[in-house]
Amino acid sequence: MSAALVYEWRRITSIRSTYVLAALFLVATGLVAYLVAQVTQGSFGDPGDGSGEMIDSGSVPLGVVMIAGTNFLSAIFVTTIAAQSFGHEYRYGLIRLTLSEYPRRWLIFTAKLIVVVLWVVALYLLSMLVAFVVVKIAGVAIDPVTSETWLQLLRAGLFLIGYSILAFMLTLITRNLVLGVVIPLLLGAVVEPLASAGLVDRLPWLPQYLPISAGQTFLNGGDDLGRGGVVFLAWVVGLGVIGLVQFARRDA
Amino acid sequence: MIVDVQSLSKTYGSVQAVHELSFRVSPGHITGFLGPNGSGKSTTMRLMLGLDHGTGTTLYEGKKLVDHRPVTKVVGSHLDAKFFHPKRTARAHLRMMGSEAGVSRARVDEVLELVGLQGVADKRPGGFSLGMGQRLGLATAILAEPKVLLLDEPANGLDPQSIQWLRDFLTHYAQRGNSVLVSSHLLSEMQLMADHLVVIARGRLIADESMSQFVSRSTKNDVLVRSSDAVRLATELRAQGLGVAAETPEALAVTGAGTDRIGDIAFAAGIAVRELVNRQASLEDAFLELTSESQDFAAGGDPGAMPADGDAR
Ligand SMILES: Nc1ncnc2c1ncn2[C@@H]1O[C@H](COP(=O)(O)OP(=O)(O)O)[C@@H](O)[C@H]1O
Ligand SMILES: [Mg+2]
């Protein structure tokens, strides 16, 4: 396994686009953090004194700013890195070299997944740092950090990991980098909102079971945090199983 | 290391690409894997590497490839001159490919120099010519010094000097006790490179024998005799039971005997001989004869004349 990890690490770090995409993600999250901080500042907030009265606190909630960049739009840069794991191999025929070297396919599959998740986690942590620094530089006051803030950050990180794995698996299943990146994006931005709106009368429960919608419910920490998370996880695991089975069975 | 290919078969939809193919690749010499385009050479190599799933098995010294470790010290393969990321430098590509066997940086440099890519080691291969791509592919294959080399049309796109270099390199590689299987649809190329031949057509084995055996099968192995009295000489030779065909009014193509016997017959008959030459059939001749016996290649035309880049993958 360690050799496969080295292989995958060398693969991902020897392509400039990995760094370009990582930089774009950080810039995008920094930018969104700045905008959110500007917009949120000066709006009315709950002073948290239990009075229920809304006053202008002049400060912004840290969690909201930090995870603002982790929406499914700016996450595209991270999911592209994830999709390139298999996407580049299929586009350039490298998969045949890779599998001649690692004929036990589940091994290279696992190594790729591990390395991708490591990158996503590292980029997420960096993006929070960037958002924090941006807010500081902008001179915006931050609300005190609560356990709810940490929970929000954790949910956002898990969403980003799950969302990246969706792109990773869709690329593996379709053997097409562009499809792997675009399908989740289209689902989140177009298909799911339209389906939910269009079928709201006949299938009011539908949005809860759509992958990106469920993921976002989980991300936003809506009241059904449990269900959103479970549905999202089920999609990720389901596609993962389909991806691995296909990968193991089909011709390279 | 002996490679035992045992009844490999592979069907793509309705196309039977490889059918019950068995042969052996032995160490010490180059085995040529010959067949026209679309005959199943590439498919066979992918089956041997476990890339495509078919039926049959390939054993490397009695064991399947997945049961060997490191795999890249057992088999090095070069299937296509374009299997690299256009933006990953040649050096980084080889560093990555050397991970399984733990290949050192020094070895990467050594291999780059060996294939003549040291000057472009840190360049992106997207702009490489076909020949340079072949060199990078070969470098990848030999990186971990495998005991078996599987090379699919490695001479494609190489200039004559490079082909000569490749031939010398592979000959030495094989002589060090390694097994080398090289495919080609270019018969002239094979004739220069291989000692042993595995010939397939339409996914089926046609011949598995030494190059000289294969070539000697052709009826085009004959003796050219030139004489001022060709007509009388022809009568004399036919009387001895030899096959005679007139090529020009002066020259005869004789089969069934060597130059010594033909010379003796002419001498005994008192006929002056001006030229007496053994002619060997080219691989082209042998190949065309053999395949036209069992298959119809009419649609494909002359396999030797097919364009180098017309190869179906
Ligand atoms: N991936 C594939 N899908 C469908 N047909 C294929 C595939 N690969 C090869 N074939 C078919 O199998 C036959 C053998 O092809 P191939 O092994 O590439 O021959 P060669 O390498 O000798 O030119 C051809 O008819 C080819 O069209
Ligand atoms: Mg081929």
Side-chain angles (χ1 to χ4, degrees):
Chain A
M1 172 54 103
S2 62
L5 284 172
V6 172
Y7 179 93
E8 187 52 21
W9 183 256
R10 287 181 182 166
R11 189 200 63 75
I12 206 168
T13 55
S14 58
I15 290 292
R16 197 168 66 185
S17 65
T18 303
Y19 302 103
V20 172
L21 289 164
L24 285 172
F25 174 67
L26 295 180
V27 168
T29 47
L31 217 73
V32 174
Y34 179 77
L35 292 176
V36 170
Q38 289 300 328
V39 170
T40 326
Q41 188 185 29
S43 67
F44 291 93
D46 185 341
D49 58 5
S51 65
E53 197 183 327
M54 303 298 268
I55 55 145
D56 180 0
S57 62
S59 66
V60 298
L62 179 68
V64 169
V65 172
M66 279 190 168
I67 66 169
T70 317
N71 56 71
F72 69 90
L73 281 171
S74 54
I76 188 173
F77 301 115
V78 175
T79 60
T80 305
I81 293 178
Q84 284 180 345
S85 262
F86 275 112
H88 278 162
E89 302 234 3
Y90 281 107
R91 177 180 290 177
Y92 301 113
L94 262 168
I95 190 70
R96 286 181 173 162
L97 277 184
T98 306
L99 291 183
S100 318
E101 186 156 336
Y102 297 98
R104 283 166 304 154
R105 299 187 179 186
W106 61 268
L107 189 88
I108 196 75
F109 173 93
T110 311
K112 279 179 177 295
L113 199 55
I114 289 173
V115 170
V116 158
V117 169
L118 284 178
W119 267 82
V120 173
V121 169
L123 281 174
Y124 177 59
L125 293 177
L126 269 177
S127 79
M128 288 200 295
L129 188 67
V130 167
F132 182 75
V133 170
V134 163
V135 171
K136 279 290 180 199
I137 289 174
V140 179
I142 298 170
D143 284 348
V145 174
T146 62
S147 58
E148 173 59 20
T149 311
W150 291 116
L151 197 61
Q152 257 179 321
L153 295 180
L154 180 67
R155 279 197 296 260
L158 291 174
F159 172 77
L160 193 62
I161 293 173
Y163 190 56
S164 303
I165 295 177
L166 284 181
F168 175 98
M169 295 303 173
L170 285 167
T171 307
L172 174 60
I173 292 167
T174 61
R175 285 181 272 192
N176 185 305
L177 176 59
V178 176
L179 288 180
V181 176
V182 168
I183 290 175
L185 195 68
L186 280 182
L187 283 178
V190 183
V191 178
E192 293 189 16
L194 283 183
S196 304
L199 299 171
V200 70
D201 295 331
R202 276 190 287 164
L203 309 170
W205 44 265
L206 183 68
Q208 296 171 349
Y209 297 100
L210 297 175
I212 310 298
S213 307
Q216 286 197 301
T217 306
F218 170 73
L219 170 65
N220 299 332
D223 46 279
D224 58 348
L225 178 140
R227 180 154 50 188
V230 168
V231 170
F232 186 54
L233 183 68
W235 276 99
V236 172
V237 172
L239 280 177
V241 170
I242 294 172
L244 178 58
V245 169
Q246 274 211 13
F247 181 53
R249 282 196 187 163
R250 74 186 171 207
D251 294 340
Chain B
M1 181 177 283
I2 290 177
V3 186
D4 231 326
V5 176
Q6 298 173 345
S7 35
L8 294 183
S9 295
K10 174 73 185 176
T11 317
Y12 296 107
S14 61
V15 179
Q16 176 103 53
V18 176
H19 184 80
E20 292 291 322
L21 189 59
S22 302
F23 60 90
R24 226 166 212 234
V25 188
S26 308
H29 57 251
I30 298 175
T31 302
F33 192 24
L34 186 65
N37 278 330
S39 56
K41 303 181 296 295
S42 300
T43 304
T44 303
M45 287 191 165
R46 289 198 299 274
L47 290 170
M48 290 171 74
L49 291 165
L51 294 175
D52 282 14
H53 298 302
T55 55
T57 46
T58 305
L59 299 180
Y60 298 81
E61 201 103 311
K63 282 201 289 182
K64 287 186 176 182
L65 194 56
V66 283
D67 299 325
H68 282 280
R69 217 140 325 142
V71 171
T72 44
K73 282 198 176 294
V74 176
V75 193
S77 59
H78 167 40
L79 302 182
D80 193 294
K82 291 196 190 67
F83 285 174
F84 49 72
H85 189 292
K87 293 191 174 165
R88 181 181 289 112
T89 66
R91 189 193 304 278
H93 177 79
L94 292 177
R95 281 287 288 158
M96 177 177 92
M97 297 311 304
S99 59
E100 201 242 354
V103 170
S104 69
R105 283 175 196 277
R107 172 65 185 163
V108 168
D109 287 339
E110 187 182 307
V111 168
L112 280 166
E113 191 164 337
L114 194 64
V115 301
L117 287 180
Q118 70 273 33
V120 292
D122 297 308
K123 291 256 185 322
R124 294 165 168 203
F128 280 12
S129 67
L130 181 55
M132 289 162 90
Q134 292 285 19
R135 286 158 185 269
L136 183 56
L138 182 69
T140 310
I142 62 173
L143 191 59
E145 300 178 89
K147 296 196 167 63
V148 180
L149 274 184
L150 299 185
L151 310 176
D152 197 4
E153 312 249 1
N156 223 351
L158 295 185
D159 52 46
Q161 289 95 321
S162 304
I163 293 182
Q164 168 116 40
W165 173 87
L166 179 66
R167 185 172 73 230
D168 294 344
F169 175 82
L170 294 180
T171 304
H172 284 127
Y173 202 85
Q175 279 169 357
R176 292 206 299 268
N178 298 308
S179 304
V180 180
L181 183 70
V182 184
S183 83
S184 178
H185 66 284
L186 289 177
L187 311 163
S188 47
E189 197 176 274
M190 268 307 54
Q191 198 161 19
L192 293 171
M193 210 166 336
D195 314 299
H196 191 91
L197 274 187
V198 171
V199 185
I200 63 169
R202 296 202 171 167
R204 290 162 200 262
L205 190 74
I206 287 193
D208 180 0
E209 58 200 11
S210 73
M211 176 69 76
S212 50
Q213 272 176 314
F214 182 72
V215 171
S216 71
R217 283 217 225 167
S218 170
T219 55
K220 292 219 175 113
N221 292 300
D222 59 10
V223 176
L224 177 80
V225 198
R226 214 157 56 76
S227 163
S228 56
D229 200 353
V231 179
R232 197 157 66 86
L233 181 59
T235 316
E236 292 291 335
L237 292 170
R238 284 202 187 97
Q240 299 291 325
L242 307 187
V244 180
E247 291 213 339
T248 66
E250 281 220 319
L252 305 174
V254 185
T255 52
T259 48
D260 288 2
R261 177 138 180 254
I262 295 168
D264 290 349
I265 294 170
F267 181 75
I271 302 169
V273 165
R274 293 178 174 166
E275 191 178 356
L276 189 58
V277 210
N278 251 323
R279 291 194 302 193
Q280 213 185 31
S282 73
L283 191 48
E284 248 93 355
D285 298 328
F287 186 78
L288 283 174
E289 267 178 58
L290 255 178
T291 51
S292 61
E293 279 164 19
S294 47
Q295 328 271 330
D296 61 308
F297 279 103
D302 177 5
M306 280 184 190
D309 55 0
D311 185 22
R313 254 178 244 123

